[in-house]
Structures are given as structure tokens and as C-alpha cells.
Amino acid sequence: MSGALQSSRAPLLTTYALLVYAFLYFPIVVLVVYSFNGSGVGGFPPSGWTFDWYRQLFADASLWDAVLNSFIVAAVAVAISLGLGLPAALALDRAQFPGKALFRRLVLLPLILPGIITGLSLLMLFVGVGMKLSLVTVTLGHGTALISVATTEIFAGLQKMDRAQEEASLDLGANHWKTFWRITFPNLKVSLIAAALLIFTLSLDEIAVTFFLIGRDNTLPLEIWSRLRRGITPEINAISTLILLFSISTILIWYRLRTRTQHAGESPAEAAMLPSSLEGEHS
Amino acid sequence: MYSRAYKSAVTIPPLLWVTVFLLIPYAILFCYSFWTVAPLQVIVHNWNLHNYAQLFRNSLYLTVLLRSIRIAGAVTLLALLLGYPLAYYLSFHAAKRKDLLYQLVIIPLWASYLVRGYAWKTILGSDGVLNGFLQYLHITHRPVEFFLYSPFAVILTLTHIYTPFTFLPIYASLEHVPRNLVEASHDLGASPFSTFVRVILPLSLPGILAGATFAFVLTLGDFLAPLLVGGPSGIMISNIVVSLFGAAYNWPLGAAISLCMLLLVVSLLFATERLEKRFTI
């Protein structure tokens, strides 16, 4: 039946959809093109094609320090958010406890809450306990905010898992620990890798929470942010192009992994909004 | 089937973490909003409603809040106008290219916020790409200043950033529309238009609500786009909070504004959740 529907042509709608894609990709294309522009970030037509901005970029030590900081923060944030998101997803899927609904909402809140509120509240906490702002506070912030992403991703994986294998393992005398490592964990491996990739990318790009928790050392987005105030050169286009390349490749791998285990169209962003999506089917 | 020990082992660590790093910070935010700043920038812990009173007395806050709501409303509307037809096209007309086209939407969804904001800055600036293009075509002869540093620039940038967010839940809800209902409607003689209005649109309402809430809430709390492309006339409520936490150094007042935002967001989420449940079959 869908064949009949889908073959019906809708030239107007098709054109409109193409225009929306054009709108979505236009700034990205401009950005990339001007990273090769010899005569500055604006102006038309771009002229004097050059790799100078990339050359300048590779010689820019403080930028690479920021890149390194961002990678360290992102790696630890992945560890924190998976380390807590995995038990959180298991708890939401399998345990009943008082305040479960509140717990679910609290975990997911940072997904939809503007970053400024998460950032500010954490700032108050850290200042309150006398912690100096540094990459440590930034990492704790990212880790905490991204537990939401880890939980939704892993929860989706759990929902697709065949429960019978775990039951069999337990019935055959394996304890919970053994069952977890032999059955649950291997089954969730793809979900965990996918979640890690997405969290890594999101942490690398995070700016709203970081803005409030940053100390002396900058992450990459904050380094770019501070340069934007000092006037812009296509060097920023060049680093942006590299960031885009990096995020696009990780996002595509994430998507591939994800569609291997579950059907598409159920991303964390959506899980946070659709109330049904995080209420366990088996309880 | 899971033992008590297992359930505690998976429940307690995340529960503790979330309590320390989310619940307690929100509670601190709540407390701060009732405190005041004494001279010499000392925060005094005497409980009062002074901050909230100031929010209503000082017209600056109300003006900026209303502007933020207007901008958020405009972004939501535009994101729906762009996102819905796109989602509809993908769900009903994309056939084999569906998967590829879907990936093309999620790439900008998860790709860097800062990079996309910066791209618009280079496009809209007074010696930016757009002005260069217009002068190249001799449509204008000197740079048009109002592209950048205006509410318009904020709306354009944020629409660009949040359209994929809006698309996602709409697409999911369209994918869940039972295709046999659509076919039944056709078979019973309804025109494509009336099938859309009477079958598909009502069934996709939960997605529309979710997408709209997303765009609205995230725009309302945004402070980066106004700094990047907004200029003084594009200042939004979160920028006031940022300055209260920075140079202006009035954390209690900043906390009071943030708390109002938090309450607004949470009640909006609660309301849409209720509505969604009502519309979901």
C-alpha cells in the first residue's frame, strides 16, 4: 500500500524539502568554502584560494592545547556518563523504587533544560564547597549533563534485548554478576559504543555549561569563543571545518551502529520528549 | 527475577550522583534566589522576596523576558514550518532515499552549535558573505548593517539550529501513523488534502507538541546566539542572567531569574506531556 502512496509525486513538497536542506547546509558550505579564501571571512566572490589558514592553524600552539584539553574532558565525561548511565538505564528498566518517576525526570532534565541552568546550578555547588574552577569542574559538568544521553541510548538497547537469555543464565545457576558480564554486557556492547561516540562528540562541542565552569585552561569551543571577540580570521573557519569533519564522521558511525540494533528515529533528543519512550515495557 | 542486591547496585550509584550534581545544585539555586547581596559583594543569607519583587518592578527584566518569549515563539513557528513538511516528505514520499535523507538531517542536529552560529556571523556581518554578494550583484552599494546584530539574526540562527530538533519528534510521530488508516481514508474517497487534515495531522500532534516545546525551551534559554549575532537589540533573558553572574555580580537576582525560567520550562514540559498523552492513540 505504501508503494501507491510513495510513488504519488509531489513536486511542490519535494521542492520545499530541497529548500529546507539548502537552508540547513548553506551556512556549513559557506563556512567550509571560506576556510580556503585568501581574502578574509566575508566578501563575495571568494578569491585567492589558499591553504594558509590551515597552515596557520597547525602552527597555533594555544589552539592545540585547547584541543587536547577538550579530548581529555570528553574522554572522562564519556567514562562518567556511561558509568552512571548504564546502572541508571538498568534501574529504570528493572527496578521499582519510590521516587522512580522523579529520578527519571531528573536524569533526563539536562537534555532539554537550557545549558545555562545546569551550568549555573553546578557553578553554585562548586563555589559553595570551595572547589576551584578548572577542567575538573568542566568534566564533572559534562559528565553529569550527558548521563541523560547515555541513559536514553542504553535504555533503548535494553528494550531491544532478548530477556530469555538472562533468565536462562540465572536459571542455570550463574549469579547476577556473571550473568551481567556474560549476557547483558555483550548484548549492550553496540549501544554502549554508540552512546560513547555521541557523548564524546557532544562534550567536544559543549559550550553553554562549560561557559560557567571553566577555569584558566580553555576547551576548544571556549578558545574559539574567546577568539571571536578579538576579531575573526578564516583560521576559525579552518578549525570549524575540521570540527565539522570530526563530528560528521562520529555521528555517521553512531547512526550506523544504532540502526544495527534498533530502528531509526528514536534518538535521545526525542526520548526526552516523548513520555512513553522511557517507561519500561517489562516491569 | 532480579534480586534486591542487584536492584540496589544499579539504583543507588546513579541516584546518589544525580542527587549531588543535579538535585542539590537546583536546591542551592532555589536558596540563592531568596538571599541578597550586601555592599562589598557579600552574599547575605537573610531570606526575603526582594529579588522577585525587583523582577516585577524593574521594567527592563519584563521587557527582555517578553522579547525572549517573542523570539522563542518566532523560532518555534519557523522551525515547525520548516521541520514539518520536511518530516512529512521523508515519511511519505522519500521511499528508498529515506535513510540517507534522515542522516542528512541528523548531521546538522548533532554538529557543533558554535560552528553553526559562527557560520551565520560570517554570512550576515557588515563585510560578510551576504553583503559581499549583494554588492557584487549591485543590488546594494554599501554594507547593510542590520543583517547582523538584530533580533532577526538571532531568530534566523536559532531557527537554523533548532529546526532539526523539531523535525525529529515530528518525523517519529509520522512514522507511527498507521498506514492502513491513510489508505482507508483514500479508499473512502477523501482527497489527499482532507486525508492529511483529518487523519495524518491529528495523529502527528504529539510530535508537533514535542518539537515545538524543544524549540521554544532551548531558544528561551539561549544566551550564545544573542552574544554572537544579536547585538544590544537582540539581548535575551539568559544574557541578563549571565551578566548578573559575571560583571554585575548579583547572584541572588540571577538565581531568581533562572528559577523562574526553570519553573516555566518544567511546567511547559509537564503541560505538553499531559497533552501528548491525550493525543496519543
Side-chain angles (χ1 to χ4, degrees):
Chain A
M1 60 114 251
S2 64
L5 261 178
Q6 281 166 346
S7 64
S8 65
R9 290 224 185 98
L12 218 64
L13 186 66
T14 310
T15 315
Y16 191 87
L18 278 175
L19 286 174
V20 178
Y21 277 111
F23 172 65
L24 291 179
Y25 279 90
F26 167 68
I28 295 175
V29 171
V30 167
L31 185 96
V32 175
V33 167
Y34 278 79
S35 73
F36 298 104
N37 183 21
S39 53
V41 290
F44 191 88
S47 57
W49 302 102
T50 174
F51 283 103
D52 279 357
W53 306 114
Y54 287 90
R55 234 170 268 138
Q56 202 170 315
L57 174 74
F58 284 108
D60 191 332
S62 64
L63 203 65
W64 290 104
D65 285 345
V67 170
L68 184 66
N69 289 342
S70 273
F71 273 91
I72 295 170
V73 168
V76 183
V78 166
I80 294 176
S81 53
L82 286 186
L84 292 150
L86 174 62
L90 289 169
L92 287 175
D93 188 47
R94 298 162 173 194
Q96 293 303 326
F97 52 94
K100 186 177 172 182
L102 180 73
F103 173 68
R104 182 175 68 86
R105 275 163 215 269
L106 206 60
V107 168
L108 295 188
L109 203 53
L111 255 183
I112 18 179
L113 204 61
I116 182 172
I117 298 179
T118 311
L120 277 181
S121 339
L122 281 169
L123 171 69
M124 291 171 155
L125 174 77
F126 293 139
V127 170
V129 298
M131 228 169 129
K132 249 185 95 184
L133 295 183
S134 65
L135 289 178
V136 175
T137 50
V138 171
T139 309
L140 286 172
H142 285 197
T144 304
L146 292 168
I147 294 174
S148 50
V149 176
T151 307
T152 49
E153 287 279 287
I154 298 167
F155 187 84
L158 277 173
Q159 293 284 307
K160 302 283 183 288
M161 209 173 102
D162 183 10
R163 208 49 69 96
Q165 288 183 22
E166 282 187 343
E167 273 167 42
S169 163
L170 289 171
D171 286 348
L172 292 170
N175 60 21
H176 279 297
W177 184 246
K178 204 165 175 183
T179 305
F180 176 80
W181 285 113
R182 293 276 183 85
I183 310 287
T184 321
F185 189 74
N187 269 303
L188 284 178
K189 215 146 103 198
V190 180
S191 297
L192 286 167
I193 297 171
L197 280 175
L198 187 60
I199 292 165
F200 195 83
T201 318
L202 292 176
S203 166
L204 223 52
D205 283 337
E206 215 292 328
I207 178 158
V209 173
T210 319
F211 191 87
F212 295 98
L213 302 179
I214 198 83
R216 232 165 18 122
D217 300 312
N218 271 344
T219 60
L220 182 59
L222 263 286
E223 176 68 25
I224 295 174
W225 181 261
S226 66
R227 284 174 189 223
L228 289 182
R229 324 207 116 201
R230 284 183 255 143
I232 47 184
T233 70
E235 193 191 339
I236 298 184
N237 292 52
I239 183 72
S240 301
T241 304
L242 296 184
I243 295 175
L244 273 178
L245 269 178
F246 186 86
S247 11
I248 290 173
S249 28
T250 43
I251 290 159
L252 287 179
I253 301 171
W254 164 71
Y255 180 77
R256 290 284 151 77
L257 288 175
R258 207 162 199 285
T259 40
R260 237 172 61 186
T261 50
Q262 54 220 248
H263 68 93
E266 230 175 69
S267 110
E270 188 193 316
M273 292 300 303
L274 299 176
S276 52
S277 55
L278 263 195
E279 279 157 16
E281 281 155 28
H282 347 255
S283 40
Chain B
M1 115 187 206
Y2 302 102
S3 70
R4 218 185 153 78
Y6 180 92
K7 287 178 183 169
S8 325
V10 295
T11 308
I12 292 168
L15 203 60
L16 276 179
W17 185 283
V18 165
T19 305
V20 172
F21 289 103
L22 288 174
L23 199 59
I24 292 178
Y26 294 145
I28 301 176
L29 185 77
F30 181 78
C31 293
Y32 258 96
S33 75
F34 297 100
W35 295 340
T36 38
V37 186
L40 294 174
Q41 306 197 325
V42 184
I43 286 161
V44 196
H45 299 191
N46 58 338
W47 300 78
N48 60 69
L49 288 169
H50 180 78
N51 297 315
Y52 293 95
Q54 209 176 331
L55 283 186
F56 290 99
R57 244 184 285 130
N58 190 332
S59 66
L60 170 76
Y61 301 124
L62 229 50
T63 314
V64 177
L65 181 65
L66 286 178
R67 181 197 294 152
S68 310
I69 291 175
R70 269 203 311 276
I71 289 178
V75 170
T76 307
L77 192 67
L78 287 170
L80 285 177
L81 285 177
L82 295 175
Y84 194 98
L86 187 65
Y88 183 83
Y89 173 78
L90 249 70
S91 191
F92 287 94
H93 293 279
K96 280 184 192 139
R97 282 160 303 169
K98 204 185 230 178
D99 194 52
L100 173 72
L101 290 174
Y102 181 80
Q103 289 179 54
L104 280 175
V105 185
I106 58 164
I107 286 173
L109 173 75
W110 297 119
S112 177
Y113 172 104
L114 182 62
V115 166
R116 288 182 287 156
Y118 169 72
W120 282 109
K121 191 183 174 78
T122 66
I123 292 169
L124 300 171
S126 60
D127 35 61
V129 178
L130 182 59
N131 266 312
F133 182 68
L134 291 175
Q135 285 172 58
Y136 177 74
L137 294 180
H138 298 287
I139 294 172
T140 57
H141 298 285
R142 61 178 67 85
V144 179
E145 300 284 348
F146 64 77
F147 291 146
L148 195 60
Y149 302 128
S150 62
F152 160 77
V154 176
I155 291 171
L156 184 67
T157 305
L158 290 177
T159 301
H160 180 253
I161 289 172
Y162 295 129
T163 295
F165 271 100
T166 315
F167 161 90
L168 211 60
I170 295 176
Y171 176 73
S173 68
L174 285 173
E175 285 288 272
H176 288 138
V177 171
R179 294 306 195 257
N180 52 9
L181 285 185
V182 179
E183 200 174 56
S185 170
H186 280 300
D187 289 349
L188 292 171
S191 68
F193 179 75
S194 93
T195 301
F196 173 73
V197 172
R198 298 174 67 172
V199 180
I200 299 172
L201 188 63
L203 287 173
S204 61
L205 266 179
I208 297 178
L209 276 171
T213 314
F214 241 128
F216 190 84
V217 164
L218 291 176
T219 306
L220 198 67
D222 198 281
F223 64 98
L224 296 158
L227 288 175
L228 211 55
V229 298
S233 65
I235 288 292
M236 289 175 44
I237 192 73
S238 301
N239 295 103
I240 293 195
V241 176
V242 170
S243 73
L244 286 171
F245 272 84
Y249 199 77
N250 191 340
W251 284 27
L253 184 56
I257 300 178
S258 310
L259 200 75
C260 289
M261 267 164 55
L262 185 68
L263 286 179
L264 190 68
V265 168
V266 170
S267 44
L268 210 60
L269 289 177
F270 188 71
T272 45
E273 202 167 301
R274 293 290 294 272
L275 277 174
E276 263 171 43
K277 279 201 173 132
R278 234 170 85 196
F279 287 122
T280 311
I281 41 165

